[in-house]
Amino acid sequence: MLYDDLARALSDAAFARDVRSADLAQLTDEQLGELLPAAHRVHHADVTPATWRTAMAVRQAADERRPRVSPDACRRLFEALVVRSRHSEWAVDLTPGVAALVGCAGPWPELAEPARALSESLLVRKTIAHPYALFLIAGLADDATLRAVAQRLGEGPIAMDEMNLLTGLTPADRAVMTELDLVNTYIEPESPPEVWQKLADLPVYVDFARSALEAAADRADGIQSGAIPYLADKAFTAREVAVLGQAARVALLRDEEWLPEVCARLLPGIAVAPTPARTVPSQALLYELVRAAKEFPTPEAVTAIRTARSVTRHAGVPKQLDKLLKKVEAALAQRTEVALRLPRLGFDEEGVLRRPAGDGYAAVVRVTETAQLTWQKDGRALRSVPASVRRDHGDLVKELRDLVKRVDLQLVTLARALEGGMPADTGHPYGWWRTELAGHPLARTVVGRLIWEIETAPGAWKTFLPAADDLPDAPDDACVRLWHPIRADAETVRAWRDRLVDGQVRQPFKQAFREIYRLTPAEEETRLHSHRFAAHLVHYRRMRGLFRARGWTSRLLGPWDGGDGDEATRVLVSGRWRARFLHSFVDWADDDPVASTDWVRFDQRLDGHWTEAPLAEVPPLVFSEAMRDVDLFVGVTSIAADPDWTEQGPARAYWERAGFADLTETAEARRDALIRILPRLKIADRCTLDDRFLTVRGDLRTYRIHLGSANILMQPDDAYLCIVPARGRVTAKVFLPFEDDRLSVILSKAMLLAADAEITDASIRAQIDRAA
């Protein structure tokens, strides 16, 4: 009955029926496939609104379900697409026809005539949106049509080489290539990894990827040597840029061993002119290769991008590369299987590199928590770079300073990669870990300050701290992984925190003091979503910056069509789980956009598709790490933590309420750290801690500093005291077991207020005196 009504609605303008997605769910895949040709024959200018809505609903349902299409329905669909191509000023979309071929329930029908007509209609267009779909369709027509399409798409030698490759592929393999048409690498989120995996599984394409990238590197070398004439931004055609971007993604995904050498030639080669000009051979290819590295990063690709950034003379390229590099490094932290690969760079086993600089001088680079460059004369330490070294060995000085920056960036990347692997509970063979991480001259400083555990028997784990403990005696194939407090009891967590503070061990990221987020009764009741961090007002630009830093993707919000709200997403555990965080644009405050926060949901990837998962089914480690990120976003960017907030109305009410609210897990970890830090400070006798506040007794007043927002109330009447963090005293000499800007601010304010009689800042002193 429903099928008959829909078929009539698509063909009879006098029969009107509005449908909903729930209605279409009643159709079988075969029925949906039979309706598809009629739905694509409908043109909005010739039918009633009800008929148009019915046609669009059927098309959308087919896109979502990908039904099996009979050969006859497939033929009728192609004929419908031909009709549309003749009656539309826009280029016809071939993807429904390709999807029908892929999902055809029998042998492909004879399609030579419609395939020829569709190909000819697209060849006259200025641009071709779906080149691989066009090539597949052209192959169903005749050789002349296929040659015409190949000639059109083969703009440039590398693009023509790809056309020659496609000509030798089977129709089924050509169909795999059509999935690239749905990939838009210029917007976020990026394409699904499985699209590239299918391509990476085609041996002939892997061979082509290597030859294409090597040919591009050879061309870049030729431009730099002068063998090829230089024209700014003309080194590669638009089609070659697209083809090379695809080739790079396949090679990066496979982590091909030949790729680092090619990247080291290609990226710097297209980033600087062979002349003194401030132009580049190809901005388009440079950015496309960096975008490819963002999707499938490797340490070597990051190094090549940094090199390109250092050599370019173009005014705008460095700024753009800096933005992209942040995304590449964040993505590298998620790809733990390659991110832990660090070069040794000539450092000895103790993390020291020595370079002679003439006349008894020597440079020493030593890696502890960071890399430090010092100079010596006959083994005696010097305070600065000797004048003669600066004069006669300027290149060496620059090289070593660049090396220090490079090492520090690699250590940061390593720390991010190790932390990024925590949700996946990543394990490593002990033999490899002992040699390539704990024994690596650079990695050892990061690895040594983290707590690890090794499986000594099935299900039995032993914890150790490499910086202070002997490495366990265990087989090379034993599993070693980072310790996580969610797997430990409270007493064990307490013991590790005490040990780190007592031993003055500063961890590269928060591990022992890491917040734990377990399912609450309220979340068990809501089942599919969490409102734990909902209804907060945040500085939107800051929050979006944290999204990028923590590997979340989101669209830009603002007062424009479609900019009212979005779900920030982060994919975890090698693509098996996804967290979603809804946030909405609210308004502007002093040219600063403000957003509100909403629910958090989780999806599991099943059969290649994301399916919403009940919170109770999310692995505890995945849930905890995702919720920790959201807590960070809210805690750092909430307007409640802004001491300068002056807006009134509902936002002010939120500021007053949230600025002194109960502590979140992040603030609780901060409180736990203060319990251990305060007794070591000179102001310890002036400080007390309660459930939400650090109370500081000054000579003039007593102050209560909120451990979440760092906002201050003055007793006895709880008058608000505004202190902008930049005006407080630094606490560089106070040991912190982990990096926490808010904790540093709280300690700075505490030290300032403990000696409030000595405060000379007029604005702060006026507030104190006025309240008194």
Side-chain angles (χ1 to χ4, degrees):
M1 183 65 178
L2 175 62
Y3 171 79
D4 294 336
D5 286 350
L6 291 174
R8 184 178 175 188
L10 291 170
S11 59
D12 185 354
F15 185 81
R17 169 164 184 166
D18 281 322
V19 297
R20 299 170 299 174
S21 58
D23 297 329
L24 295 177
Q26 303 173 34
L27 297 174
T28 66
D29 283 349
E30 291 73 16
Q31 289 175 325
L32 185 60
E34 287 297 312
L35 291 172
L36 198 55
H40 277 280
R41 192 178 288 269
V42 170
H43 189 272
H44 68 88
D46 303 329
V47 298
T48 64
T51 300
W52 176 248
R53 286 194 295 270
T54 300
M56 293 303 295
V58 171
R59 293 187 204 174
Q60 183 177 354
D63 289 341
E64 294 173 352
R65 290 169 55 178
R66 295 297 178 94
R68 299 287 285 172
V69 182
S70 68
D72 180 64
C74 188
R75 176 186 54 77
R76 287 187 283 114
L77 174 59
F78 269 80
E79 292 171 351
L81 293 177
V82 172
V83 173
R84 285 181 60 193
S85 72
R86 293 170 178 167
H87 295 85
S88 175
E89 59 182 291
W90 304 104
V92 66
D93 184 358
L94 296 179
T95 53
V98 172
L101 288 173
V102 173
C104 189
W108 288 5
E110 168 58 40
L111 296 172
E113 285 303 319
R116 186 180 303 109
L118 288 172
S119 300
E120 291 172 354
S121 73
L122 288 173
L123 281 173
V124 298
R125 302 283 176 173
K126 290 184 178 180
T127 59
I128 296 176
H130 301 133
Y132 299 106
L134 175 58
F135 194 90
L136 174 66
I137 301 305
L140 303 178
D142 52 52
D143 289 343
T145 303
L146 186 63
R147 284 195 300 272
V149 168
Q151 188 66 33
R152 172 68 185 277
L153 298 179
E155 297 174 347
I158 294 174
M160 182 54 72
D161 287 345
E162 187 196 39
M163 289 299 102
N164 293 333
L165 166 72
L166 293 181
T167 302
L169 294 180
T170 65
D173 287 341
R174 291 179 191 172
V176 171
M177 297 290 296
T178 63
E179 295 192 40
L180 296 176
D181 288 333
L182 304 179
V183 174
N184 187 341
T185 58
Y186 292 88
I187 60 173
E188 295 179 335
E190 290 84 7
S191 53
E194 54 265 24
V195 171
W196 300 108
Q197 189 59 60
K198 290 180 182 179
L199 203 56
D201 290 338
L202 292 177
V204 291
Y205 192 88
V206 174
D207 292 339
F208 166 75
R210 179 172 186 173
S211 64
L213 290 167
E214 289 178 341
D218 290 342
R219 190 183 303 179
D221 290 344
I223 291 172
Q224 294 298 325
S225 68
I228 299 175
Y230 172 66
L231 294 174
D233 278 327
K234 300 293 184 182
F236 299 89
T237 68
R239 274 298 301 159
E240 286 181 319
V241 168
V243 169
L244 288 168
Q246 293 161 186
R249 284 170 174 84
V250 168
L252 288 164
L253 172 61
R254 292 173 58 89
D255 195 22
E256 293 285 351
E257 62 180 13
W258 50 265
L259 186 60
E261 186 270 336
V262 173
C263 285
R265 293 166 53 207
L266 179 56
L267 272 82
I270 58 175
V272 62
T275 68
R278 295 181 178 273
T279 54
V280 300
S282 179
Q283 280 192 68
L285 181 57
L286 177 62
Y287 295 150
E288 178 64 9
L289 293 177
V290 178
R291 282 189 288 267
K294 179 161 64 77
E295 294 190 47
F296 303 107
T298 66
E300 295 82 7
V302 171
T303 299
I305 296 169
R306 289 201 191 101
T307 303
R309 190 248 185 262
S310 68
V311 300
T312 188
R313 293 187 295 270
H314 191 287
V317 168
K319 184 176 180 180
Q320 185 66 19
L321 288 182
D322 286 342
K323 291 180 180 179
L324 291 170
L325 260 172
K326 290 181 180 179
K327 297 181 179 182
V328 175
E329 289 178 338
L332 181 59
Q334 306 300 315
R335 199 182 182 196
T336 55
E337 68 273 20
V338 300
L340 304 184
R341 188 171 61 220
L342 265 70
R344 295 182 178 255
L345 301 177
F347 284 82
D348 63 22
E349 293 183 358
E350 300 301 318
V352 177
L353 180 144
R354 299 177 186 275
R355 295 282 296 275
D359 297 331
Y361 291 108
V364 179
V365 181
R366 191 181 305 274
V367 180
T368 52
E369 291 188 12
T370 59
Q372 302 291 333
L373 171 61
T374 60
W375 296 88
Q376 296 179 353
K377 168 69 170 178
D378 298 326
R380 177 174 52 85
L382 303 176
R383 292 185 177 182
S384 61
V385 185
S388 62
V389 173
R390 189 183 298 112
R391 182 187 64 247
D392 300 333
H393 301 277
D395 291 343
L396 175 64
V397 175
K398 182 180 184 302
E399 176 192 342
L400 293 177
R401 285 174 174 170
D402 289 343
L403 176 65
V404 167
K405 294 178 182 178
R406 180 180 172 189
V407 169
D408 284 344
L409 285 171
Q410 288 183 343
L411 295 180
V412 170
T413 300
L414 174 63
R416 287 177 179 170
L418 290 170
E419 186 178 18
M422 294 187 79
D425 212 8
T426 305
H428 311 282
Y430 182 52
W432 175 88
W433 176 91
R434 188 175 53 226
T435 302
E436 299 301 326
L437 289 182
H440 191 285
L442 305 181
R444 59 199 291 273
T445 182
V446 174
V447 172
R449 291 178 286 131
L450 293 169
I451 306 166
W452 297 83
E453 55 184 6
I454 187 168
E455 192 171 27
T456 55
W461 297 82
K462 176 184 179 181
T463 57
F464 62 101
L465 182 69
D469 302 328
D470 293 333
L471 296 185
D473 184 12
D476 287 349
D477 60 354
C479 181
V480 62
R481 67 185 182 186
L482 280 168
W483 173 86
H484 196 291
I486 202 169
R487 293 192 295 263
D489 56 49
E491 183 178 350
T492 301
V493 173
R494 223 173 7 249
W496 273 115
R497 292 179 176 181
D498 288 340
R499 184 178 179 191
L500 290 179
V501 175
D502 291 343
Q504 300 268 298
V505 177
R506 179 182 172 87
Q507 296 199 285
F509 56 82
K510 194 185 292 186
Q511 185 190 24
F513 285 86
R514 201 171 192 81
E515 305 84 357
I516 298 174
Y517 301 79
R518 302 187 191 276
L519 210 59
T520 65
E523 289 162 343
E524 291 175 350
E525 186 173 339
T526 57
R527 189 170 167 272
L528 289 174
H529 62 268
S530 168
H531 278 137
R532 192 184 307 198
F533 301 109
H536 288 274
L537 297 178
V538 299
H539 291 287
Y540 174 62
R541 287 196 186 110
R542 298 179 201 172
M543 185 170 73
R544 193 160 188 265
L546 285 177
F547 286 164
R548 293 193 294 267
R550 297 294 301 172
W552 292 66
T553 59
S554 68
R555 290 186 299 108
L556 181 65
L557 303 187
W560 49 74
D561 187 26
D564 54 333
D566 188 37
E567 299 174 8
T569 61
R570 179 187 175 189
V571 177
L572 305 105
V573 195
S574 301
R576 298 195 298 275
W577 288 93
R578 181 177 70 179
R580 292 182 284 135
F581 173 39
L582 181 64
H583 57 290
S584 305
F585 177 78
V586 175
D587 207 343
W588 296 84
D590 295 330
D591 295 326
D592 186 17
V594 175
S596 63
T597 64
D598 208 316
W599 47 251
V600 178
R601 296 174 185 261
F602 289 83
D603 304 318
Q604 185 177 12
R605 198 164 190 82
L606 299 172
D607 298 326
H609 301 284
W610 289 112
T611 302
E612 190 168 23
L615 300 181
E617 296 180 8
V618 181
L621 195 54
V622 173
F623 180 85
S624 183
E625 288 297 302
M627 296 297 279
R628 179 178 182 271
D629 275 357
V630 179
D631 191 358
L632 172 72
F633 301 151
V634 173
V636 170
T637 66
S638 170
I639 66 171
D642 184 350
D644 282 337
W645 187 265
T646 57
E647 295 286 324
Q648 299 301 312
R652 183 68 182 186
Y654 164 79
W655 183 91
E656 292 174 349
R657 180 180 69 255
F660 303 99
D662 291 340
L663 302 186
T664 64
E665 284 84 349
T666 297
E668 287 287 0
R670 195 174 295 134
R671 182 182 183 277
D672 203 23
L674 281 170
I675 291 174
R676 294 164 171 81
I677 294 170
L678 285 174
R680 302 170 180 271
L681 303 181
K682 293 181 179 180
I683 63 170
D685 61 338
R686 289 178 173 261
C687 298
T688 56
L689 272 173
D690 59 25
D691 57 340
R692 286 183 292 163
F693 293 90
L694 169 61
T695 301
V696 181
R697 177 175 52 82
D699 294 323
L700 304 178
R701 300 294 299 270
T702 297
Y703 311 88
R704 303 175 71 217
I705 307 174
H706 190 260
L707 301 180
S709 64
N711 289 341
I712 307 168
L713 299 176
M714 295 184 286
Q715 292 183 342
D717 57 350
D718 280 349
Y720 175 68
L721 174 60
C722 176
I723 298 180
V724 179
R727 297 178 182 172
R729 296 178 182 174
V730 297
T731 58
K733 295 183 180 180
V734 177
F735 167 76
L736 299 180
F738 54 85
E739 184 177 351
D740 185 335
D741 291 340
R742 192 69 52 81
L743 180 56
S744 296
V745 167
I746 290 172
L747 287 170
S748 294
K749 291 181 176 181
M751 292 180 175
L752 178 71
L753 296 172
D756 54 0
E758 301 175 13
I759 293 176
T760 58
D761 186 289
S763 64
I764 299 176
R765 189 58 183 264
Q767 294 177 75
I768 295 173
D769 293 342
R770 184 167 56 248

